[in-house]
C-alpha cells in the first residue's frame, strides 16, 4: 500500500520524504492556504521533493472553470494530479481531463455510489474521507470496504485513496481492506512509528551493551 502525506507544508514534506517511505502528497485549498508564497511554485517544489503523485485541487465550482484550472495545475509538473470535487461539474471535469491524459483525484467522496461515479468518469484516484464520516457517527471504513468490493467486481483501475485519516488504525484498516493508498497528516505518519516497547527495548539493549563494554575495559 502506498503512503501519502496530506499537507501543504514544504518543511513537513521534506522531513517525511527523508524517511524514505513516502509515495506521494495530497493537498487541498485549506492546507495550501496555510503555506506562504505562490501556490504554483509551492506545488512545483513539492513535486521536486517527492517525485511522486502530488494532488492540487481546483477551486472553481463550474465545469469550464474546473477545466481551465485543472489544465493549469497539470502544467506545473508531470507529477501533478488534479483534484476535482464529487459534484456533477466535478465528475464532468474528471471525464474531460482524464480524456486529455490528465490524472484526476476525485475528492470529497462519502459513499460507494459516489466512488462508482468517479471510476466511471475515468478518475485515476478517488478519495473517501474516513475521518469526516467517523465524525458524524458513520463508519468511514465500511464505505472503503464497499468501494474495494465494487472496484474489484468490475476491475476498475481507479485507485482508492483513503483520506481524512486521523490515526494509525485508519491506516492499518485501509491496508487490511486492500485500499491502494492512505494519505495522512504528518502527525499520523509519525505515530505509525511509535510503540513504548520499542523505546523500552532499545534503551535496555544499549544499557546492556554499555555495561558489557565497561566490564571489558
Ligand atoms: O485532503 C483531504 C482530507 O485528507 C482532509 O482531511 O482531516 O481535514 O478531514 P481532514
Amino acid at each position: 500500500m502506498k503512503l501519502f502525506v496530506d499537507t501543504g507544508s514544504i518543511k513537513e514534506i521534506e522531513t517525511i520524504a527523508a524517511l524514505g517511505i513516502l509515495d506521494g502528497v495530497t493537498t487541498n485549498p485549506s492546507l495550501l492556504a496555510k503555506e506562504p508564497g505562490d501556490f504554483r511554485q509551492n506545488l512545483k517544489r513539492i513535486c521536486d521533493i517527492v517525485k511522486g503523485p502530488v494532488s492540487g485541487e481546483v477551486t472553481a465550482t463550474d465545469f469550464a472553470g474546473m477545466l481551465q484550472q485543472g489544465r493549469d495545475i497539470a502544467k506545473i509538473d508531470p507529477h501533478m494530479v488534479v483534484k476535482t470535487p464529487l459534484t456533477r461539474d466535478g465528475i464532468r471535469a474528471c471525464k474531460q481531463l482524464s480524456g486529455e491524459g490528465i490524472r484526476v483525484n476525485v475528492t470529497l467522496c462519502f459513499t460507494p455510489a459516489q466512488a462508482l461515479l468517479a471510476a466511471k468518469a475515468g478518475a485515476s484516484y478517488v478519495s473517501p474521507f474516513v475521518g469526516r464520516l467517523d465524525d458524524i457517527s458513520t463508519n468511514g471504513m465500511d464505505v472503503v470496504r464497499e468501494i474495494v468490493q465494487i472496484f474489484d467486481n468490475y476491475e476498475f483501475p481507479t485507485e482508492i485513496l483513503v483520506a481524512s485519516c486521523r490515526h494509525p488504525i485508519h491506516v492499518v484498516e485501509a491496508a487490511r481492506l486492500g485500499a491502494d493508498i492512505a494519505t495522512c497528516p504528518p502527525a499520523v505518519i509519525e505515530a505509525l512509528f511509535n510503540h513504548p516497547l520499542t523505546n523500552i527495548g532499545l534503551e535496555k539493549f544499549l544499557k546492556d551493551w554499555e555495561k558489557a563494554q565497561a566490564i571489558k575495559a
Side-chain angles (χ1 to χ4, degrees):
M1 188 184 67
K2 286 171 263 187
L3 193 58
F4 287 10
V5 65
D6 193 31
T7 180
S9 161
I10 290 168
K11 199 164 167 275
E12 288 176 338
I13 292 165
E14 278 174 339
T15 305
I16 304 282
L19 296 169
I21 44 88
L22 187 65
D23 300 297
V25 173
T26 50
T27 69
N28 61 40
S30 309
L31 294 171
L32 279 184
K34 291 183 200 161
E35 188 69 2
D38 174 69
F39 85 93
R40 281 184 198 79
Q41 282 175 13
N42 290 344
L43 285 171
K44 175 67 185 156
R45 177 87 189 95
I46 293 169
C47 289
D48 291 342
I49 297 165
V50 180
K51 296 180 180 68
V54 175
S55 289
E57 189 163 342
V58 299
T59 51
T61 54
D62 65 298
F63 176 64
M66 285 187 199
L67 287 190
Q68 198 181 9
Q69 289 185 357
R71 289 170 184 146
D72 187 46
I73 289 169
K75 274 188 205 134
I76 294 172
D77 188 276
H79 289 109
M80 283 307 303
V81 174
V82 174
K83 249 179 164 182
T84 63
L86 217 152
T87 58
R88 283 166 179 77
D89 284 44
I91 288 294
R92 254 185 94 193
C94 171
K95 178 80 181 171
Q96 175 66 31
L97 293 169
S98 299
E100 294 173 16
I102 294 171
R103 286 177 300 166
V104 178
N105 173 2
V106 177
T107 190
L108 291 166
C109 172
F110 294 95
T111 69
Q114 290 180 319
L116 180 59
L117 296 175
K120 287 189 63 64
S124 295
Y125 307 93
V126 64
S127 294
F129 277 30
V130 292
R132 292 192 195 186
L133 281 167
D134 290 356
D135 288 346
I136 57 159
S137 304
T138 301
N139 190 335
M141 282 301 162
D142 285 347
V143 172
V144 173
R145 184 178 294 106
E146 289 184 49
I147 299 171
V148 170
Q149 187 189 3
I150 292 165
F151 284 18
D152 282 353
N153 283 348
Y154 296 97
E155 295 179 2
F156 283 122
T158 306
E159 292 190 60
I160 302 167
L161 195 167
V162 178
S164 188
C165 289
R166 301 279 169 77
H167 47 68
I169 301 297
H170 275 150
V171 181
V172 172
E173 282 301 305
R176 281 165 56 95
L177 292 172
D180 300 281
I181 306 153
T183 189
C184 315
V188 174
I189 294 184
E190 291 295 338
L192 295 176
F193 282 89
N194 298 339
H195 196 284
L197 290 178
T198 304
N199 301 340
I200 292 166
L202 182 59
E203 204 179 317
K204 181 160 175 8
F205 286 156
L206 296 180
K207 264 193 193 141
D208 290 346
W209 183 254
E210 273 168 34
K211 226 187 287 169
Q213 300 309 304
I215 290 164
K216 282 180 195 166

